[in-house]
Amino acid sequence: MAHAESDIPPFRYTSALAQDIELRWQAWWEQHHSFEAPNPAGPLADPDAVAGMEKLFVLDMFPYPSGTGLHVGHPLGYIGTDVYSRYKRMAGYNVCYAMGFDAFGLPAEQYAVQTGQHPAVTTAANVANMRRQLRRLGLSHDPRRSIDTTDPGYYRWTQWIFLQIFNSWYDTELPSRDGRGLGRARPIAELITAFESGECPTPDGREWAELTEAERRAIVDDRRLAYVSEAPVNWCPGLGTVVANEEVTADGRSDRGNFPVFKRSMRQWMMRITSYADRLIDDLDLLDWTDAIKTMQRNWIGRSEGARVRFASPAGEIEVFTTRPDTLFGATFMVLAPEHPLVAALTTHDHAEAVAAYRRTAAAKKDIDRQDLGRDKTGVFTGSSAINPVNAELVPVWIADYVLTGYGTGAIMAVPCGDQRDFEFARQFGLAIPAIQTPPAAWFAGRGIEASLDTATWPEAYVGDAPYVNSANADGLDLNGVSSVAEGTRLTNEWLSVRSHGRGNVNFKLRDWLFSRQRYWGEPFPIVHDEFGPVALPDSSLPVLLPETESFSPRTFDPDDEFSNPESPLDRLDWWTDVELDLGDGPRRYHRDTNVMPQWAGSCWYELRYLDPTNDETFVDPAVEQYWMGPKGNGHPGGVDLYVGGVEHAVLHLLYSRFWHKVLFDLGHVSSIEPYYRLFNQGLILAAAFKDEREIYVEAAEVEERDGLFFHHDEPVTREWGRMGKSLKNGVSPDEMYDAYGADTLRLYEMSTGPMDASRPWETRDVVGMYRFLQRVWRNLVDEDSGEPRLGPPATVETLRVLHRTIDGVRTDIDGLRINTAISKLIELNNYLTKLGSCPCDVAEPLVLMLAPLSPHLAEELWAKLGHADSLIREPFPVADPAMLVAATIELPVQVNGKFRSRIVIPSDATEAVATAAALADAKVIKSLNGAEPKKIIVVPGRTVNIVA
RNA sequence: GCCCGAGUGGCGGAAUGGCAGACGCGGAGGACUCAAAAUCCUUUGUAGGGAACUACGUGUGGGUUCGAGUCCCACCUCGGGCACCA
């Protein structure tokens, strides 16, 4: 062993040397406060330092501090943002770059239940471990700006923002603050004033002064942006808590824990995100996000324009939502969801039994079965009919489970000729299918049938623009001859509105956000209750600290006990829940709200706290927010300059966060309309996972490959690819990589394996490639025996050309976050230098500076060896000399009839005629032409010559 | 079923409509070494040929173009999201 080690030169770039370099520079950066970004105002103010620098706010989606720490899949995005931040610092920017921890949530609570340790203790330990791992990676975060959502100094402001939302209502009439339309949040006090003055009428028209305290409170609470409401929720007895719709899996079980989930109605805190539905859709246009993510958000919000139409029935009016009011004349029956409240009243005696049986069957079905594709339509007739408002015809009312309670009004008008589901339902039950549009000839031709209005010949419904027929009544509505859906809809809506049968209406798929959890490890609500309902605590009482307790887990129940009721851990703490307070009208007794907020709350505004993390006066100083996030003028919404994170947050986090930001904007607390201007979705690092014959995952690290087959302790196993993590037993810790190669190598490897937005498999054996690269760079600049710099004479013009082409390419690549190709270009430059035999003295510094964002520790060490006393983090990034980017001659490929046949070398400023002549004179071209006369010659300057013969 | 992505060597990937496979891994051969590791050099899409070279080649089939991995149409496969959304 000793002998083997002595063979390695003492100053070779080995993992041991890499460790030494990295730890030393990490300590240096910390001591010199290298990454601290000055603020223009507030506690971190340093106005002189801010002056003269452009700002840049770079943000990662912050991690949840799990007990297993980081695996190498986590830092892909972090390394990317670090490279970008370091690069921009070298370009003279003041870069705000920080990292925090999204530390509330169920896993910490459940882990704490298992280990008996308080979640605060385990969370603190996990955060400390992840901080260590991230620091070891050399990320250039401003350490002063780190936040932890479970820190009372942080969640004090989460609670404060909640109170801002609670104390607001949405005025749909007032022009928005950004001038982009109507609607804005206003202080609830202004609504009360409007009620008092009579400017705003009460719901039942009585004078405000005549109302009791209870009535007034109920009216006001009903308008708040955060409100308590009876809501259909997913009760999960196995977790002892309610889970959000978004957290329920397709098979009706909980996302975490995989327990059965039951639909129940319970009183819950809700956030009125639906008030912002229009703005959340419209303002997507202002953002630099990919179309894919924008489309996903639009689909989630699901705006559809149509009409609400009322049909008279024996049980009263039935309201339906339709996107095609223009097809009302074709509505020949109605379908209600089995759970619709009018079903009982509509059902006649002779149909009672069938309806009851159908409702039982539908209720017993899990959502997944109800949504099963391709099954036959089912349904039963209620025995009653309603009246179609446009033609007074009787339409039978059915119930069927393909109509859902949760969307629209839970009732539809069925137009079998114009909607495929209705068409199938009508065929199934022998209901009439009158035609109300004349489909175009091509539609019939495409289906191989004769054009006819006899729908018995149609294989399916016709959907789209086409002239209407049979669509007129004697009461002023006549669509016959109209041929566009838009015009038909407009005319129908107008008629419906005038005759009071309905009105044009926009419907959203988005529902209000269920905001309370019956758990322990979350932010307590800054709310107490008196006999009339919730009462906001004053700002002075914040933070409302999460009370200490031994029993911090929610009470759990038999997972199948649907009718159990949630019991929050806070419910049991009488000493905490029962309080006497003076909230302005003398001391009174109150009961604290025992819910906690969902994990989303802390992540809804963390980017704002990074900006001013130590401010005790306010959640963020307005001047600081304006500096880092303010709009850059003319249609720019403001927000984070670059936000990098996984596509799995495309909808929920990014929607909730935008909603909170918009409320804060409406209330004048922030100057930016949107929180995240540019969003970049990084890919996942996938890792091989192995299952044995019992379909159980085995430790991937223990699997051997033999001849393309895989074995775990000699048992054959099968390979699949998945996210890295505990559940697939395929995690690779960055600590292993630091030991084997060092952080610089890990950084380069993760960046080199592909573009940032692509998912790619982790291959530990490939990591060595980047290690070798750094070793070769080191060897080109440092003598491996003496450790002294080893530089050659000044570069030739040819070498300078290579250098400047590299500089140009690397700049372009990093600007576009194409870090993988930037690395390739640096490897090419280094390989070129290796062939030269030594690195010219005037190439060494630009090379080191270009490496600085990517492998910062190695670059710092080399920079010091080149004789610099200070760090290079603020050295200007090299700039390419345009004169060096053009060569005297260029090599041009020549095609004959589109096939590449030869290459010619001509002056780079050669005219087309010169290029043509050179191409025609080329021996291989002459051979390929074989005597044929060129018919046409295409010269693409600098690219190619193509001779068509 | 709908929406959004993506299909390129043994593997990860590169390529403003202009020489497909940069760069890295892996493989093969060589140098150094008693030997091995490490390091360095050469080579490596497939088929044929000693070689020059020739043919083929970016999921499939068409199309546009002087020229297509790249643009258009249809289809197939994989990944992600949504889902009887009226």
Side-chain angles (χ1 to χ4, degrees):
Chain A
M1 268 314 247
H3 178 72
E5 275 175 19
S6 70
D7 282 353
I8 298 174
F11 291 93
R12 172 158 292 176
Y13 184 78
T14 59
S15 57
L17 181 59
Q19 291 235 27
D20 171 60
I21 292 172
E22 289 167 6
L23 295 177
R24 227 163 356 92
W25 280 102
Q26 282 159 12
W28 197 95
W29 293 329
E30 190 169 285
Q31 282 158 17
H32 291 79
H33 308 281
S34 298
F35 305 122
E36 294 183 3
N39 271 354
L44 303 185
D46 186 351
D48 293 342
V50 167
M53 279 199 288
E54 255 195 270
K55 68 88 190 182
L56 187 80
F57 187 6
V58 179
L59 183 71
D60 289 295
M61 290 186 184
F62 64 165
Y64 175 80
S66 88
T68 49
L70 286 183
H71 55 69
V72 294
H74 281 112
L76 180 67
Y78 309 157
I79 298 168
T81 51
D82 187 60
V83 170
Y84 191 71
S85 297
R86 286 176 177 273
Y87 171 72
K88 286 294 189 180
R89 251 182 231 116
M90 293 173 81
Y93 283 79
N94 183 22
V95 180
C96 180
Y97 181 51
M99 181 59 79
F101 298 90
D102 190 16
F104 274 127
L106 199 55
E109 192 168 290
Q110 288 192 330
Y111 182 73
V113 170
Q114 287 161 21
T115 60
Q117 273 193 313
H118 194 284
V121 176
T122 51
T123 298
N126 294 347
V127 165
N129 183 44
M130 281 180 84
R131 281 215 166 97
R132 176 191 63 77
Q133 288 180 308
L134 291 170
R135 182 182 183 278
R136 186 64 189 80
L137 199 50
L139 300 178
S140 59
H141 296 135
D142 182 342
R144 303 169 307 167
R145 296 176 185 266
S146 184
I147 58 104
D148 170 350
T149 55
T150 66
D151 179 350
Y154 179 86
Y155 73 67
R156 166 192 180 180
W157 296 110
T158 309
Q159 292 172 333
W160 180 85
I161 295 171
F162 173 85
L163 288 178
Q164 294 295 309
I165 299 170
F166 176 76
N167 284 322
S168 299
W169 62 293
Y170 200 76
D171 185 342
T172 53
E173 306 298 320
L174 207 62
S176 61
R177 246 189 93 213
D178 54 34
R180 289 175 48 77
L182 287 180
R184 78 159 83 148
R186 298 174 65 184
I188 199 79
E190 296 178 11
L191 179 67
I192 296 170
T193 307
F195 278 130
E196 283 168 353
S197 70
E199 179 199 330
C200 182
T202 61
D204 63 5
R206 284 184 293 162
E207 291 286 314
W208 186 250
E210 292 172 32
L211 302 180
T212 64
E213 175 68 8
E215 286 169 329
R216 290 179 187 171
R217 290 271 297 275
I219 289 168
V220 171
D221 288 349
D222 199 39
R223 299 290 293 273
R224 294 178 187 272
L225 285 181
Y227 62 98
V228 177
S229 161
E230 197 73 28
V233 297
N234 308 302
W235 168 233
C236 181
L239 291 174
T241 186
V242 169
V243 291
N245 266 334
E246 299 89 76
E247 295 169 321
V248 182
T249 61
D251 55 350
R253 301 177 79 89
S254 59
D255 206 11
R256 300 174 193 274
N258 197 32
F259 294 113
V261 173
F262 303 95
K263 281 233 181 295
R264 281 270 304 278
S265 197
M266 285 180 192
R267 286 187 74 73
Q268 294 287 339
W269 281 99
M270 307 293 286
M271 288 258 172
R272 213 178 294 278
I273 190 173
T274 48
S275 293
Y276 283 79
D278 273 316
R279 284 165 65 185
L280 288 169
I281 284 190
D282 293 342
D283 291 353
L284 285 171
D285 294 341
L286 305 175
L287 300 176
D288 184 7
W289 295 11
T290 62
D291 286 335
I293 300 288
K294 289 185 182 183
T295 306
M296 283 166 83
Q297 288 225 344
R298 285 197 190 97
N299 290 345
W300 186 268
I301 297 168
R303 172 158 65 191
S304 53
E305 293 175 26
R308 285 186 183 239
V309 185
R310 288 184 293 276
F311 286 61
S313 86
E317 287 189 330
I318 305 172
E319 191 176 50
V320 302
F321 174 74
T322 174
T323 52
R324 291 290 304 278
D326 58 302
T327 61
L328 257 169
F329 286 97
T332 48
F333 59 101
M334 298 182 80
V335 185
L336 272 53
E339 303 86 354
H340 195 283
L342 291 179
V343 171
L346 284 164
T347 306
T348 58
H349 184 70
D350 6 331
H351 293 86
E353 208 169 302
V355 166
Y358 188 81
R359 294 180 77 178
R360 271 198 306 277
T361 322
K365 273 185 190 164
K366 286 186 175 169
D367 272 5
I368 189 74
D369 299 326
R370 255 178 95 156
Q371 295 163 8
D372 187 16
L373 184 78
R375 70 196 172 88
D376 287 340
K377 292 278 177 291
T378 63
V380 291
F381 181 42
T382 60
S384 296
S385 293
I387 297 167
N388 186 335
V390 294
N391 54 15
E393 280 183 19
L394 282 177
V395 293
V397 181
W398 288 60
I399 62 171
D401 60 9
Y402 77 91
V403 175
L404 304 179
T405 12
Y407 184 78
T409 62
I412 64 161
M413 62 178 214
V415 183
C417 70
D419 181 283
Q420 186 57 24
R421 286 156 308 172
D422 298 343
F423 184 88
E424 285 171 24
F425 193 87
R427 277 277 163 88
Q428 177 95 15
F429 294 102
L431 298 159
I433 309 180
I436 51 155
Q437 283 176 292
T438 312
W443 187 80
F444 291 106
R447 280 150 192 80
I449 50 173
E450 300 265 320
S452 161
L453 288 182
D454 176 6
T455 59
T457 67
W458 294 13
E460 60 193 16
Y462 173 78
V463 185
D465 286 328
Y468 295 90
V469 292
N470 304 323
S471 294
N473 62 24
D475 198 17
L477 179 61
D478 184 356
L479 303 182
N480 290 337
V482 172
S483 57
S484 86
V485 170
E487 180 65 3
T489 298
R490 193 187 64 77
L491 291 168
T492 309
N493 283 353
E494 203 174 281
W495 186 89
L496 285 170
S497 179
V498 169
R499 298 294 188 284
S500 297
H501 291 305
R503 63 195 158 83
N505 180 260
V506 177
N507 198 54
F508 295 96
K509 217 158 78 175
L510 183 70
R511 286 189 283 265
D512 275 345
W513 174 17
L514 193 145
F515 193 72
S516 45
R517 300 288 185 272
Q518 290 72 49
R519 292 187 202 147
Y520 177 71
W521 195 229
E523 300 89 345
F525 280 66
I527 293 285
V528 292
H529 296 263
D530 64 11
E531 64 270 37
F532 303 124
V535 179
L537 288 168
D539 292 352
S540 59
S541 63
L542 302 183
V544 175
L545 291 172
L546 188 59
E548 287 298 320
T549 174
E550 292 292 299
S551 56
F552 36 71
S553 57
R555 180 168 169 206
T556 56
F557 300 86
D558 176 347
D560 296 311
D561 183 3
E562 178 178 355
F563 298 104
S564 49
N565 277 305
E567 188 184 302
S568 144
L570 304 186
D571 273 325
R572 296 191 289 264
L573 307 175
D574 297 345
W575 62 268
W576 183 76
T577 56
D578 297 322
V579 284
E580 188 176 87
L581 298 167
D582 183 349
L583 299 180
D585 49 358
R588 288 174 59 194
R589 296 209 63 81
Y590 295 93
H591 188 262
R592 285 190 191 274
D593 195 286
T594 56
N595 292 288
V596 295
M597 300 185 199
Q599 199 182 350
W600 306 111
S603 61
C604 267
W605 71 283
Y606 70 114
E607 72 283 355
L608 291 165
R609 193 60 180 170
Y610 283 160
L611 300 180
D612 207 1
T614 57
N615 198 325
D616 289 333
E617 307 293 317
T618 174
F619 75 114
V620 58
D621 185 297
V624 172
E625 187 275 336
Q626 166 84 46
Y627 172 73
W628 289 109
M629 289 180 74
K632 295 176 182 171
N634 221 1
H636 190 284
V640 173
D641 294 291
L642 175 65
Y643 191 27
V644 174
V647 71
E648 67 271 21
H649 294 297
V651 183
L652 299 178
H653 159 63
L654 288 172
L655 207 57
Y656 295 150
S657 196
R658 293 179 63 215
F659 162 55
W660 275 36
H661 200 90
K662 285 185 181 304
V663 177
L664 291 172
F665 172 81
D666 283 359
L667 298 175
H669 298 303
V670 295
S671 67
S672 37
I673 305 172
E674 286 280 338
Y676 315 118
Y677 176 65
R678 180 180 176 198
L679 176 71
F680 189 93
N681 287 114
Q682 104 250 1
L684 288 174
I685 292 206
L686 303 172
F690 300 91
K691 271 183 185 167
D692 64 15
E693 282 167 339
R694 297 165 301 161
E695 295 284 291
I696 294 180
Y697 288 101
V698 300
E699 281 296 339
E702 297 167 4
V703 170
E704 293 173 80
E705 182 177 356
R706 295 176 210 151
D707 301 327
L709 297 173
F710 300 96
F711 298 90
H712 180 249
H713 301 318
D714 290 328
E715 296 290 322
V717 291
T718 55
R719 181 173 69 173
E720 58 187 63
W721 293 92
R723 295 190 70 144
M724 214 174 254
K726 211 161 135 189
S727 57
L728 301 186
K729 294 190 182 170
N730 62 350
V732 177
S733 161
D735 297 332
E736 296 170 42
M737 294 299 116
Y738 301 149
D739 291 345
Y741 300 108
D744 280 333
T745 295
L746 174 62
R747 291 168 61 103
L748 278 177
Y749 169 70
E750 296 219 2
M751 290 296 97
S752 70
T753 49
M756 282 260 288
D757 52 1
S759 292
R760 75 293 299 268
W762 174 269
E763 285 284 7
T764 299
R765 67 175 184 185
D766 288 359
V767 178
V768 71
M770 290 303 118
Y771 179 60
R772 288 178 189 150
F773 164 55
L774 292 180
Q775 217 163 47
R776 286 192 276 252
V777 170
W778 178 266
R779 191 181 302 117
N780 279 338
L781 295 170
V782 178
D783 184 286
E784 291 191 321
D785 292 315
S786 68
E788 292 302 310
R790 192 175 75 85
L791 300 178
T796 61
V797 171
E798 193 213 329
T799 300
L800 287 177
R801 286 220 168 87
V802 173
L803 172 68
H804 284 267
R805 273 204 305 275
T806 306
I807 293 171
D808 186 55
V810 167
R811 290 189 79 104
T812 313
D813 286 348
I814 298 182
D815 275 324
L817 289 174
R818 291 183 300 273
I819 300 171
N820 54 328
T821 50
I823 293 171
S824 297
K825 291 181 171 87
L826 287 167
I827 293 173
E828 283 178 286
L829 173 62
N830 191 59
N831 288 348
Y832 174 87
L833 296 176
T834 304
K835 285 206 169 63
L836 277 187
S838 68
C839 177
C841 52
D842 47 353
V843 173
E845 292 202 350
L847 171 63
V848 168
L849 291 172
M850 284 192 284
L851 281 167
L854 298 153
S855 51
H857 314 86
L858 176 92
E860 290 277 22
E861 186 72 6
L862 290 172
W863 189 246
K865 281 194 182 294
L866 291 175
H868 298 277
D870 203 3
S871 158
L872 47 56
I873 58 173
R874 293 225 163 255
E875 277 303 310
F877 200 85
V879 180
D881 177 357
M884 284 293 171
L885 298 178
V886 282
T889 60
I890 51 168
E891 192 185 71
L892 217 56
V894 181
Q895 305 173 51
V896 175
N897 291 328
K899 276 191 180 291
F900 286 90
R901 293 299 179 187
S902 188
R903 297 173 189 84
I904 52 172
V905 176
I906 56 170
S908 54
D909 57 356
T911 61
E912 288 194 17
V914 171
T916 306
L920 288 173
D922 184 86
K924 284 183 188 167
V925 171
I926 291 166
K927 191 183 158 208
S928 296
L929 280 171
N930 200 19
E933 195 60 29
K935 293 190 192 105
K936 190 174 175 187
I937 298 176
I938 292 130
V939 180
V940 185
R943 284 293 180 186
T944 188
V945 178
N946 189 9
I947 300 162
V948 186

